[in-house]
């Protein structure tokens, strides 16, 4: 399976996921500000490809991010509710000083839940065809603090996908 096919599988999964609104790829240093619908899955390049000639496999490793910019939570199919967390109650008074940090932390937790669900779906994929070997592994999921210039946060993970090597010499 070629790298482009691996990207297409992840793009298709993103498009079918009920909470993900967009999919993007690009260099790690680039960001398409203003053109992204959140929550968004993003694959950052460069990627690393490792070939195992003995087992006729090729392994692709790249960084996958899940970015969010709001606390909308789905409460039922087709309905969303805005969750207001901009308050801390103490002695019956509202304190909004810490609200951006509270929101950012909760958005990051939302992104971590979403990326875990996304990886579960990726791991359970059954890829049919002549190149049907498809193995997924991942590193530690890490939070992203206020990415880029948008009010965007989320999480990222090093994703490794091993497939049959279509480039092998026979």
């Amino acid at each position: 399976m070629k790298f482009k096919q691996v990207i297409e599988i992840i793009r298709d999964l993103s498009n079918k996921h009920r909470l993900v609104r967009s999919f993007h790829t690009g260099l790690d240093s680039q960001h398409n500000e203003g053109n992204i619908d959140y929550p968004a899955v993003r694959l950052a390049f460069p990627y690393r490809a490792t070939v195992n000639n003995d087992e006729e496999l090729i392994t692709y490793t790249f960084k996958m991010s899940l970015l969010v910019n709001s606390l909308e939570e789905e409460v039922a199919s087709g309905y969303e509710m805005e969750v207001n967390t901009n308050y801390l109650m103490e002695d019956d008074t509202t304190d909004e000083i810490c609200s951006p940090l509270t929101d950012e932390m909760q958005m990051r937790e939302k992104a971590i839940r979403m990326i875990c669900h996304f990886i579960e779906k990726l791991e359970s994929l059954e890829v049919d065809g002549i190149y049907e070997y498809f193995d997924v592994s991942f590193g530690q999921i890490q939070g992203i603090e206020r990415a880029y210039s948008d009010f965007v946060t989320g999480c990222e993970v090093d994703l490794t996908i091993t497939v049959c090597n279509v480039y092998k010499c026979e």
Side-chain angles (χ1 to χ4, degrees), residues 27-53:
L27 295 174
D28 198 22
S29 61
Q30 294 178 336
H31 180 68
N32 300 333
E33 294 179 41
N35 297 330
I36 298 178
D37 291 328
Y38 296 102
V41 171
R42 183 169 186 276
L43 297 182
F45 301 138
Y47 69 93
R48 186 174 67 241
T50 309
V51 176
N52 181 335
N53 286 327

Side-chain angles (χ1 to χ4, degrees), residues 52-154:
N52 181 335
N53 286 327
D54 295 337
E55 297 180 22
E56 299 179 349
L57 301 174
I58 188 165
T59 300
Y60 300 109
T61 303
F62 46 87
K63 188 181 299 181
M64 183 173 75
S65 304
L66 201 146
L67 303 170
V68 296
N69 70 346
S70 74
L71 285 172
E72 287 181 355
E73 294 287 341
E74 187 170 307
V75 292
S77 181
Y79 298 96
E80 292 183 351
M81 174 179 72
E82 185 72 26
V83 179
N84 182 4
T85 60
N86 291 331
Y87 61 87
L88 295 173
M89 297 301 289
E90 184 176 313
D91 300 327
D92 296 329
T93 60
T94 302
D95 180 6
E96 295 192 11
I97 295 173
C98 296
S99 65
L101 296 176
T102 303
D103 284 352
E104 187 174 344
M105 179 183 65
Q106 290 182 347
M107 287 191 308
R108 198 172 302 121
E109 288 172 0
K110 173 185 173 181
I112 290 170
R113 285 192 307 271
M114 288 178 68
I115 205 166
C116 287
H117 183 258
F118 191 88
I119 291 170
E120 266 181 34
K121 292 287 188 188
L122 195 56
E123 287 177 317
S124 67
L125 277 179
E126 292 183 19
V127 179
D128 295 328
I130 191 167
Y131 308 112
E132 59 187 45
Y133 185 81
F134 190 86
D135 183 57
V136 177
S137 61
F138 58 96
Q140 183 176 4
I141 298 172
Q142 304 207 356
I144 300 172
E145 296 194 24
R146 296 242 181 153
Y148 317 106
S149 64
D150 293 338
F151 183 66
V152 174
T153 189

